[in-house]
Amino acid sequence: LIVFSLCLGLTCLSGFFHMKNKNYSISKSHEELLIPPMPCHAKTNVMFLKTHKTASSTVLNILFRFAERYNLTVALPADQLFHLGYPRTFLAHFVEGFEATGQNFNIMCNHLRFNPLEVKRVMAANTFYFSILRNPIPLLESSYIYYKNNVPAFRSSKNVNDFLASPTKYYHPADYRESIYARNIMWFDFGYDNNAEDDTKYTQAVLEEIEQNFHLILIADYFDESMILLKHALCWDLDDVIYFKLNSRSQDTVQTLTPENEEQVKVWCSLDWKLYLHFNQSFWRRIEETIGLKVLEKEVDHLRTRQKELMETCLSEQEAVRKDHIRNKALLPFQSGAANILGYNLKQDLDNRTLRTCQKMVMPELQYTSYLYTVQHPHKKRKELGLPLPWTSLQE
């Protein structure tokens, strides 16, 4: 599967290996050589469509930290919700304070089902829109484990291979809310019918519409490369896209699909498969056109080096640990289905400033959403988590 994914990612590069010379040619005039490249300005109005089981919780953490660093406002879910009305199609009033604030939000990144006209009511005209996709084969296996207890089709089947052997035996489109995770979940998140017939004209129209609505689509299977591409597209610094992997699960809960069932996913989730193939190609094309593979490789190395430095600074184990090994329950991620969602232990002798930086790096999605909600809406009732927060105000 890994070899297949790499081949898939690189197929569209076959014609790109005659690398364009990024340097000025000898024929450039003296005046042209003296013109410095135009400086770019960091984009601060950003909408991220958070898709399911695609490393999107890690991206959300990056965006939340960026929002805090530059004192930006986040379009957060109203009242006690942690998502923006999902799985209902998004409406502007799902955002806390929309009636009073209008378009004065900088960042939007909690789960929602995309609805461009309503999102535009919340976000500024110059907002940068991006999302992330993942290979539907590991995506479906991940969804199966994570939503095992919630989805009737998953609950009534023995394991993921049993489900894929005859999905229609278990899956009923009428179980609308519960069943979305079992088929074409990415297609659904983008606002389309996950049970639609895979008609070429229809799928092509949807792909074109997504290209019009989004400036960039990242690929979770190449997460570090995605972060470098995002950094360039947003004109951010390397430290703005540094991350610790969040909401991942322990390896012992991963089920291996049979080769037949891997092929079955492509048929069963054919809309997601087409979505992934299309934007996987445009992802690598975008890298070639804007950064180039050599620069990409160098910057990915820098990102990984910086990440390793931060892990050595922050973490007592240098890696994620199982839920029962997390010492500080305020940093325990939400547990779902048959997955064992990993978290982190911070070193105990950190100075206050370093501790605060490290806490934000490992902060699970629900805790961070709750914290930002308290900061932005201090007069509203705090979102109930059933867990302590590492801090509840800017002073702490």
Tab-separated table of all heavy atoms in Angstrom, residues 199-251:
chain	number	residue	atom	x	y	z
A	199	ASP	N	-21.594	9.095	-11.912
A	199	ASP	CA	-21.770	9.442	-13.320
A	199	ASP	C	-20.652	10.407	-13.720
A	199	ASP	O	-20.396	11.390	-13.022
A	199	ASP	CB	-23.150	10.094	-13.492
A	199	ASP	CG	-23.305	10.740	-14.855
A	199	ASP	OD1	-23.534	9.997	-15.818
A	199	ASP	OD2	-23.182	11.982	-14.948
A	200	THR	N	-19.978	10.143	-14.827
A	200	THR	CA	-18.789	10.918	-15.223
A	200	THR	C	-19.074	12.413	-15.325
A	200	THR	O	-18.297	13.235	-14.828
A	200	THR	CB	-18.238	10.399	-16.565
A	200	THR	OG1	-17.991	9.002	-16.437
A	200	THR	CG2	-16.938	11.094	-16.925
A	201	LYS	N	-20.182	12.768	-15.942
A	201	LYS	CA	-20.519	14.181	-16.107
A	201	LYS	C	-20.724	14.861	-14.755
A	201	LYS	O	-20.247	15.970	-14.504
A	201	LYS	CB	-21.787	14.291	-16.966
A	201	LYS	CG	-22.039	15.684	-17.525
A	201	LYS	CD	-23.252	15.683	-18.449
A	201	LYS	CE	-23.596	17.109	-18.857
A	201	LYS	NZ	-24.860	17.157	-19.622
A	202	TYR	N	-21.422	14.149	-13.851
A	202	TYR	CA	-21.688	14.677	-12.501
A	202	TYR	C	-20.393	14.843	-11.701
A	202	TYR	O	-20.137	15.901	-11.128
A	202	TYR	CB	-22.657	13.739	-11.769
A	202	TYR	CG	-22.711	13.929	-10.266
A	202	TYR	CD1	-23.264	15.080	-9.696
A	202	TYR	CD2	-22.201	12.956	-9.404
A	202	TYR	CE1	-23.308	15.251	-8.322
A	202	TYR	CE2	-22.241	13.115	-8.023
A	202	TYR	CZ	-22.798	14.262	-7.485
A	202	TYR	OH	-22.843	14.433	-6.121
A	203	THR	N	-19.566	13.789	-11.677
A	203	THR	CA	-18.336	13.856	-10.883
A	203	THR	C	-17.410	14.946	-11.412
A	203	THR	O	-16.779	15.657	-10.638
A	203	THR	CB	-17.598	12.496	-10.844
A	203	THR	OG1	-17.388	12.026	-12.175
A	203	THR	CG2	-18.384	11.470	-10.064
A	204	GLN	N	-17.336	15.087	-12.721
A	204	GLN	CA	-16.485	16.121	-13.311
A	204	GLN	C	-16.959	17.515	-12.903
A	204	GLN	O	-16.153	18.383	-12.563
A	204	GLN	CB	-16.478	15.984	-14.837
A	204	GLN	CG	-15.378	16.776	-15.528
A	204	GLN	CD	-13.984	16.494	-14.983
A	204	GLN	OE1	-13.634	15.353	-14.700
A	204	GLN	NE2	-13.182	17.538	-14.796
A	205	ALA	N	-18.268	17.709	-12.892
A	205	ALA	CA	-18.834	19.003	-12.491
A	205	ALA	C	-18.513	19.315	-11.033
A	205	ALA	O	-18.172	20.450	-10.681
A	205	ALA	CB	-20.350	18.999	-12.708
A	206	VAL	N	-18.583	18.289	-10.174
A	206	VAL	CA	-18.269	18.472	-8.749
A	206	VAL	C	-16.792	18.818	-8.563
A	206	VAL	O	-16.439	19.750	-7.818
A	206	VAL	CB	-18.644	17.213	-7.929
A	206	VAL	CG1	-18.033	17.271	-6.519
A	206	VAL	CG2	-20.158	17.072	-7.826
A	207	LEU	N	-15.909	18.098	-9.244
A	207	LEU	CA	-14.469	18.367	-9.132
A	207	LEU	C	-14.146	19.798	-9.568
A	207	LEU	O	-13.354	20.492	-8.916
A	207	LEU	CB	-13.671	17.362	-9.969
A	207	LEU	CG	-13.735	15.897	-9.508
A	207	LEU	CD1	-13.033	14.980	-10.507
A	207	LEU	CD2	-13.157	15.720	-8.112
A	208	GLU	N	-14.784	20.246	-10.627
A	208	GLU	CA	-14.562	21.626	-11.095
A	208	GLU	C	-15.092	22.645	-10.088
A	208	GLU	O	-14.466	23.683	-9.858
A	208	GLU	CB	-15.228	21.818	-12.464
A	208	GLU	CG	-14.460	21.146	-13.599
A	208	GLU	CD	-15.212	21.156	-14.924
A	208	GLU	OE1	-16.208	21.921	-15.037
A	208	GLU	OE2	-14.805	20.410	-15.839
A	209	GLU	N	-16.223	22.327	-9.474
A	209	GLU	CA	-16.797	23.244	-8.480
A	209	GLU	C	-15.885	23.352	-7.251
A	209	GLU	O	-15.664	24.443	-6.717
A	209	GLU	CB	-18.182	22.744	-8.059
A	209	GLU	CG	-18.990	23.764	-7.279
A	209	GLU	CD	-20.441	23.356	-7.136
A	209	GLU	OE1	-20.724	22.397	-6.383
A	209	GLU	OE2	-21.291	23.984	-7.787
A	210	ILE	N	-15.329	22.218	-6.830
A	210	ILE	CA	-14.399	22.228	-5.687
A	210	ILE	C	-13.158	23.053	-6.031
A	210	ILE	O	-12.676	23.836	-5.206
A	210	ILE	CB	-14.023	20.784	-5.265
A	210	ILE	CG1	-15.251	20.075	-4.661
A	210	ILE	CG2	-12.875	20.794	-4.246
A	210	ILE	CD1	-15.063	18.589	-4.403
A	211	GLU	N	-12.667	22.904	-7.248
A	211	GLU	CA	-11.502	23.701	-7.678
A	211	GLU	C	-11.803	25.197	-7.652
A	211	GLU	O	-10.933	26.002	-7.347
A	211	GLU	CB	-11.074	23.281	-9.090
A	211	GLU	CG	-10.279	21.992	-9.096
A	211	GLU	CD	-9.768	21.620	-10.480
A	211	GLU	OE1	-10.378	22.047	-11.469
A	211	GLU	OE2	-8.761	20.888	-10.548
A	212	GLN	N	-13.037	25.557	-7.961
A	212	GLN	CA	-13.426	26.978	-7.928
A	212	GLN	C	-13.564	27.496	-6.501
A	212	GLN	O	-13.232	28.638	-6.205
A	212	GLN	CB	-14.755	27.181	-8.671
A	212	GLN	CG	-14.607	27.118	-10.191
A	212	GLN	CD	-15.952	26.985	-10.900
A	212	GLN	OE1	-17.000	27.101	-10.276
A	212	GLN	NE2	-15.908	26.750	-12.201
A	213	ASN	N	-14.038	26.628	-5.604
A	213	ASN	CA	-14.299	27.053	-4.218
A	213	ASN	C	-13.061	27.051	-3.328
A	213	ASN	O	-13.025	27.754	-2.313
A	213	ASN	CB	-15.370	26.158	-3.580
A	213	ASN	CG	-16.763	26.446	-4.096
A	213	ASN	OD1	-17.076	27.581	-4.462
A	213	ASN	ND2	-17.613	25.427	-4.143
A	214	PHE	N	-12.053	26.258	-3.686
A	214	PHE	CA	-10.881	26.097	-2.821
A	214	PHE	C	-9.599	26.492	-3.548
A	214	PHE	O	-9.387	26.119	-4.697
A	214	PHE	CB	-10.780	24.650	-2.314
A	214	PHE	CG	-11.849	24.300	-1.315
A	214	PHE	CD1	-13.102	23.872	-1.747
A	214	PHE	CD2	-11.628	24.443	0.046
A	214	PHE	CE1	-14.104	23.581	-0.840
A	214	PHE	CE2	-12.616	24.150	0.966
A	214	PHE	CZ	-13.864	23.725	0.526
A	215	HIS	N	-8.747	27.210	-2.823
A	215	HIS	CA	-7.463	27.621	-3.388
A	215	HIS	C	-6.437	26.485	-3.356
A	215	HIS	O	-5.496	26.479	-4.146
A	215	HIS	CB	-6.901	28.817	-2.597
A	215	HIS	CG	-7.774	30.031	-2.664
A	215	HIS	ND1	-8.705	30.320	-1.691
A	215	HIS	CD2	-7.873	31.008	-3.602
A	215	HIS	CE1	-9.327	31.450	-2.027
A	215	HIS	NE2	-8.841	31.877	-3.176
A	216	LEU	N	-6.618	25.555	-2.414
A	216	LEU	CA	-5.605	24.509	-2.220
A	216	LEU	C	-6.252	23.280	-1.578
A	216	LEU	O	-7.045	23.415	-0.646
A	216	LEU	CB	-4.481	25.036	-1.315
A	216	LEU	CG	-3.323	24.103	-0.990
A	216	LEU	CD1	-2.545	23.742	-2.250
A	216	LEU	CD2	-2.385	24.739	0.033
A	217	ILE	N	-5.898	22.104	-2.090
A	217	ILE	CA	-6.318	20.840	-1.464
A	217	ILE	C	-5.045	20.065	-1.126
A	217	ILE	O	-4.245	19.741	-2.007
A	217	ILE	CB	-7.208	19.991	-2.396
A	217	ILE	CG1	-8.456	20.777	-2.845
A	217	ILE	CG2	-7.595	18.688	-1.700
A	217	ILE	CD1	-9.512	21.030	-1.808
A	218	LEU	N	-4.863	19.778	0.153
A	218	LEU	CA	-3.683	19.047	0.626
A	218	LEU	C	-3.962	17.543	0.627
A	218	LEU	O	-5.105	17.115	0.522
A	218	LEU	CB	-3.313	19.516	2.037
A	218	LEU	CG	-3.064	21.022	2.193
A	218	LEU	CD1	-2.801	21.363	3.651
A	218	LEU	CD2	-1.898	21.473	1.315
A	219	ILE	N	-2.891	16.749	0.769
A	219	ILE	CA	-3.009	15.294	0.789
A	219	ILE	C	-2.391	14.757	2.086
A	219	ILE	O	-1.196	14.920	2.325
A	219	ILE	CB	-2.307	14.665	-0.442
A	219	ILE	CG1	-2.928	15.192	-1.742
A	219	ILE	CG2	-2.378	13.138	-0.389
A	219	ILE	CD1	-4.370	14.776	-2.018
A	220	ALA	N	-3.221	14.117	2.898
A	220	ALA	CA	-2.788	13.646	4.228
A	220	ALA	C	-1.681	12.601	4.134
A	220	ALA	O	-0.829	12.510	5.018
A	220	ALA	CB	-3.987	13.077	4.987
A	221	ASP	N	-1.689	11.810	3.057
A	221	ASP	CA	-0.674	10.764	2.884
A	221	ASP	C	0.728	11.359	2.711
A	221	ASP	O	1.725	10.661	2.842
A	221	ASP	CB	-1.014	9.904	1.665
A	221	ASP	CG	-2.468	9.451	1.684
A	221	ASP	OD1	-3.350	10.296	1.427
A	221	ASP	OD2	-2.723	8.278	1.967
A	222	TYR	N	0.806	12.637	2.386
A	222	TYR	CA	2.079	13.369	2.264
A	222	TYR	C	1.962	14.611	3.152
A	222	TYR	O	1.950	15.734	2.676
A	222	TYR	CB	2.331	13.748	0.797
A	222	TYR	CG	2.233	12.561	-0.134
A	222	TYR	CD1	1.072	12.327	-0.858
A	222	TYR	CD2	3.287	11.657	-0.252
A	222	TYR	CE1	0.954	11.213	-1.686
A	222	TYR	CE2	3.180	10.546	-1.078
A	222	TYR	CZ	2.016	10.332	-1.791
A	222	TYR	OH	1.903	9.229	-2.607
A	223	PHE	N	1.860	14.362	4.458
A	223	PHE	CA	1.486	15.440	5.365
A	223	PHE	C	2.576	16.513	5.466
A	223	PHE	O	2.285	17.715	5.423
A	223	PHE	CB	1.146	14.893	6.760
A	223	PHE	CG	0.453	15.922	7.625
A	223	PHE	CD1	-0.901	16.176	7.467
A	223	PHE	CD2	1.163	16.651	8.571
A	223	PHE	CE1	-1.549	17.131	8.241
A	223	PHE	CE2	0.521	17.613	9.343
A	223	PHE	CZ	-0.833	17.851	9.185
A	224	ASP	N	3.822	16.109	5.593
A	224	ASP	CA	4.904	17.093	5.710
A	224	ASP	C	5.029	17.925	4.432
A	224	ASP	O	5.205	19.150	4.479
A	224	ASP	CB	6.237	16.410	6.030
A	224	ASP	CG	6.270	15.882	7.463
A	224	ASP	OD1	5.386	16.273	8.255
A	224	ASP	OD2	7.168	15.091	7.794
A	225	GLU	N	4.924	17.253	3.292
A	225	GLU	CA	4.946	17.978	2.020
A	225	GLU	C	3.764	18.958	1.950
A	225	GLU	O	3.902	20.080	1.439
A	225	GLU	CB	4.871	16.989	0.850
A	225	GLU	CG	6.109	16.124	0.684
A	225	GLU	CD	6.132	14.879	1.566
A	225	GLU	OE1	5.256	14.734	2.454
A	225	GLU	OE2	7.037	14.049	1.374
A	226	SER	N	2.621	18.522	2.486
A	226	SER	CA	1.436	19.384	2.515
A	226	SER	C	1.672	20.630	3.358
A	226	SER	O	1.248	21.732	2.991
A	226	SER	CB	0.226	18.610	3.061
A	226	SER	OG	-0.231	17.653	2.136
A	227	MET	N	2.339	20.452	4.490
A	227	MET	CA	2.590	21.600	5.368
A	227	MET	C	3.525	22.618	4.704
A	227	MET	O	3.357	23.823	4.866
A	227	MET	CB	3.178	21.137	6.704
A	227	MET	CG	2.188	20.382	7.591
A	227	MET	SD	0.645	21.303	7.907
A	227	MET	CE	-0.463	20.580	6.686
A	228	ILE	N	4.499	22.124	3.944
A	228	ILE	CA	5.404	23.036	3.231
A	228	ILE	C	4.632	23.785	2.141
A	228	ILE	O	4.789	25.001	1.975
A	228	ILE	CB	6.611	22.266	2.629
A	228	ILE	CG1	7.443	21.605	3.751
A	228	ILE	CG2	7.476	23.199	1.783
A	228	ILE	CD1	7.939	22.544	4.844
A	229	LEU	N	3.790	23.070	1.412
A	229	LEU	CA	2.983	23.718	0.375
A	229	LEU	C	2.055	24.764	0.995
A	229	LEU	O	1.894	25.863	0.467
A	229	LEU	CB	2.180	22.663	-0.393
A	229	LEU	CG	1.439	23.143	-1.646
A	229	LEU	CD1	2.382	23.829	-2.636
A	229	LEU	CD2	0.723	21.972	-2.326
A	230	LEU	N	1.456	24.422	2.130
A	230	LEU	CA	0.565	25.361	2.830
A	230	LEU	C	1.331	26.597	3.295
A	230	LEU	O	0.862	27.733	3.147
A	230	LEU	CB	-0.090	24.659	4.030
A	230	LEU	CG	-1.095	25.491	4.826
A	230	LEU	CD1	-2.349	25.771	3.996
A	230	LEU	CD2	-1.475	24.786	6.133
A	231	LYS	N	2.520	26.368	3.847
A	231	LYS	CA	3.372	27.474	4.306
A	231	LYS	C	3.629	28.460	3.169
A	231	LYS	O	3.515	29.679	3.341
A	231	LYS	CB	4.695	26.911	4.845
A	231	LYS	CG	5.724	27.949	5.239
A	231	LYS	CD	7.006	27.303	5.731
A	231	LYS	CE	8.006	27.053	4.645
A	231	LYS	NZ	8.700	28.269	4.164
A	232	HIS	N	3.956	27.941	2.005
A	232	HIS	CA	4.218	28.803	0.841
A	232	HIS	C	2.954	29.515	0.379
A	232	HIS	O	2.985	30.710	0.070
A	232	HIS	CB	4.818	27.981	-0.306
A	232	HIS	CG	6.283	27.725	-0.145
A	232	HIS	ND1	7.251	28.521	-0.719
A	232	HIS	CD2	6.952	26.761	0.550
A	232	HIS	CE1	8.450	28.059	-0.391
A	232	HIS	NE2	8.297	26.985	0.372
A	233	ALA	N	1.844	28.780	0.333
A	233	ALA	CA	0.594	29.361	-0.162
A	233	ALA	C	0.088	30.483	0.750
A	233	ALA	O	-0.481	31.472	0.283
A	233	ALA	CB	-0.472	28.273	-0.289
A	234	LEU	N	0.320	30.334	2.058
A	234	LEU	CA	-0.163	31.331	3.027
A	234	LEU	C	0.896	32.373	3.381
A	234	LEU	O	0.609	33.324	4.098
A	234	LEU	CB	-0.631	30.631	4.316
A	234	LEU	CG	-1.858	29.723	4.192
A	234	LEU	CD1	-2.118	29.000	5.507
A	234	LEU	CD2	-3.089	30.512	3.774
A	235	CYS	N	2.114	32.160	2.874
A	235	CYS	CA	3.233	33.052	3.204
A	235	CYS	C	3.493	33.065	4.716
A	235	CYS	O	3.698	34.108	5.325
A	235	CYS	CB	2.953	34.470	2.686
A	235	CYS	SG	4.428	35.498	2.658
A	236	TRP	N	3.459	31.879	5.329
A	236	TRP	CA	3.711	31.725	6.756
A	236	TRP	C	5.163	31.304	6.984
A	236	TRP	O	5.874	30.937	6.056
A	236	TRP	CB	2.778	30.665	7.352
A	236	TRP	CG	1.346	31.114	7.508
A	236	TRP	CD1	0.778	32.270	7.038
A	236	TRP	CD2	0.298	30.382	8.162
A	236	TRP	NE1	-0.556	32.311	7.368
A	236	TRP	CE2	-0.888	31.166	8.061
A	236	TRP	CE3	0.240	29.159	8.829
A	236	TRP	CZ2	-2.099	30.754	8.604
A	236	TRP	CZ3	-0.974	28.748	9.362
A	236	TRP	CH2	-2.128	29.539	9.255
A	237	ASP	N	5.584	31.363	8.252
A	237	ASP	CA	6.923	30.902	8.637
A	237	ASP	C	6.889	29.401	8.934
A	237	ASP	O	5.814	28.833	9.182
A	237	ASP	CB	7.406	31.641	9.896
A	237	ASP	CG	7.610	33.122	9.627
A	237	ASP	OD1	7.973	33.481	8.486
A	237	ASP	OD2	7.390	33.922	10.559
A	238	LEU	N	8.076	28.791	8.957
A	238	LEU	CA	8.162	27.356	9.245
A	238	LEU	C	7.516	27.024	10.589
A	238	LEU	O	6.774	26.044	10.714
A	238	LEU	CB	9.628	26.890	9.223
A	238	LEU	CG	9.825	25.379	9.398
A	238	LEU	CD1	9.304	24.616	8.181
A	238	LEU	CD2	11.287	25.041	9.637
A	239	ASP	N	7.780	27.844	11.611
A	239	ASP	CA	7.226	27.565	12.936
A	239	ASP	C	5.702	27.635	12.965
A	239	ASP	O	5.078	27.105	13.881
A	239	ASP	CB	7.822	28.503	13.992
A	239	ASP	CG	9.040	27.876	14.680
A	239	ASP	OD1	9.537	26.845	14.175
A	239	ASP	OD2	9.490	28.413	15.714
A	240	ASP	N	5.101	28.299	11.986
A	240	ASP	CA	3.635	28.368	11.927
A	240	ASP	C	3.011	27.033	11.524
A	240	ASP	O	1.826	26.804	11.774
A	240	ASP	CB	3.179	29.452	10.928
A	240	ASP	CG	3.530	30.859	11.394
A	240	ASP	OD1	3.524	31.092	12.612
A	240	ASP	OD2	3.801	31.713	10.532
A	241	VAL	N	3.800	26.153	10.878
A	241	VAL	CA	3.247	24.866	10.439
A	241	VAL	C	3.897	23.671	11.141
A	241	VAL	O	3.658	22.520	10.779
A	241	VAL	CB	3.344	24.687	8.897
A	241	VAL	CG1	2.495	25.723	8.180
A	241	VAL	CG2	4.783	24.731	8.403
A	242	ILE	N	4.703	23.938	12.168
A	242	ILE	CA	5.261	22.845	12.972
A	242	ILE	C	4.119	22.204	13.755
A	242	ILE	O	3.203	22.885	14.207
A	242	ILE	CB	6.331	23.388	13.955
A	242	ILE	CG1	7.557	23.888	13.189
A	242	ILE	CG2	6.747	22.322	14.962
A	242	ILE	CD1	8.356	22.826	12.494
A	243	TYR	N	4.174	20.897	13.929
A	243	TYR	CA	3.060	20.204	14.589
A	243	TYR	C	3.556	18.964	15.322
A	243	TYR	O	4.641	18.445	15.039
A	243	TYR	CB	2.034	19.762	13.518
A	243	TYR	CG	2.591	18.674	12.625
A	243	TYR	CD1	2.394	17.325	12.915
A	243	TYR	CD2	3.380	18.989	11.512
A	243	TYR	CE1	2.956	16.334	12.117
A	243	TYR	CE2	3.935	17.994	10.710
A	243	TYR	CZ	3.722	16.670	11.032
A	243	TYR	OH	4.294	15.682	10.258
A	244	PHE	N	2.752	18.495	16.279
A	244	PHE	CA	2.848	17.134	16.796
A	244	PHE	C	1.587	16.434	16.303
A	244	PHE	O	0.503	17.023	16.324
A	244	PHE	CB	2.884	17.102	18.327
A	244	PHE	CG	4.111	17.713	18.943
A	244	PHE	CD1	4.113	18.073	20.289
A	244	PHE	CD2	5.266	17.937	18.202
A	244	PHE	CE1	5.242	18.641	20.876
A	244	PHE	CE2	6.403	18.509	18.781
A	244	PHE	CZ	6.381	18.863	20.127
A	245	LYS	N	1.710	15.211	15.860
A	245	LYS	CA	0.573	14.483	15.303
A	245	LYS	C	-0.500	14.281	16.379
A	245	LYS	O	-0.210	13.743	17.453
A	245	LYS	CB	1.066	13.133	14.779
A	245	LYS	CG	0.112	12.436	13.846
A	245	LYS	CD	0.770	11.190	13.290
A	245	LYS	CE	-0.178	10.436	12.372
A	245	LYS	NZ	0.420	9.176	11.908
A	246	LEU	N	-1.725	14.717	16.080
A	246	LEU	CA	-2.814	14.618	17.060
A	246	LEU	C	-3.913	13.678	16.560
A	246	LEU	O	-4.109	13.507	15.354
A	246	LEU	CB	-3.416	16.001	17.325
A	246	LEU	CG	-2.463	17.032	17.963
A	246	LEU	CD1	-3.157	18.366	18.128
A	246	LEU	CD2	-1.943	16.534	19.308
A	247	ASN	N	-4.619	13.082	17.521
A	247	ASN	CA	-5.782	12.229	17.243
A	247	ASN	C	-5.414	10.962	16.470
A	247	ASN	O	-6.245	10.379	15.778
A	247	ASN	CB	-6.861	13.008	16.473
A	247	ASN	CG	-8.260	12.473	16.777
A	247	ASN	OD1	-8.548	12.055	17.883
A	247	ASN	ND2	-9.125	12.475	15.779
A	248	SER	N	-4.141	10.539	16.581
A	248	SER	CA	-3.753	9.274	15.955
A	248	SER	C	-4.055	8.140	16.939
A	248	SER	O	-4.272	8.373	18.118
A	248	SER	CB	-2.276	9.284	15.581
A	248	SER	OG	-1.484	9.462	16.733
A	249	ARG	N	-4.040	6.907	16.453
A	249	ARG	CA	-4.384	5.780	17.331
A	249	ARG	C	-3.251	4.763	17.380
A	249	ARG	O	-2.363	4.763	16.520
A	249	ARG	CB	-5.674	5.118	16.850
A	249	ARG	CG	-5.547	4.523	15.473
A	249	ARG	CD	-6.908	4.173	14.869
A	249	ARG	NE	-6.783	4.064	13.430
A	249	ARG	CZ	-6.986	2.950	12.743
A	249	ARG	NH1	-7.343	1.838	13.352
A	249	ARG	NH2	-6.841	2.933	11.441
A	250	SER	N	-3.309	3.889	18.351
A	250	SER	CA	-2.256	2.885	18.507
A	250	SER	C	-2.325	1.874	17.367
A	250	SER	O	-3.404	1.555	16.865
A	250	SER	CB	-2.402	2.160	19.848
A	250	SER	OG	-3.685	1.575	19.936
A	251	GLN	N	-1.162	1.384	16.967
A	251	GLN	CA	-1.045	0.483	15.816
A	251	GLN	C	-1.835	-0.817	16.008
A	251	GLN	O	-2.296	-1.416	15.048
A	251	GLN	CB	0.425	0.139	15.552
A	251	GLN	CG	1.140	1.145	14.661
A	251	GLN	CD	0.485	1.304	13.289
A	251	GLN	OE1	-0.022	2.366	12.959
A	251	GLN	NE2	0.467	0.238	12.494
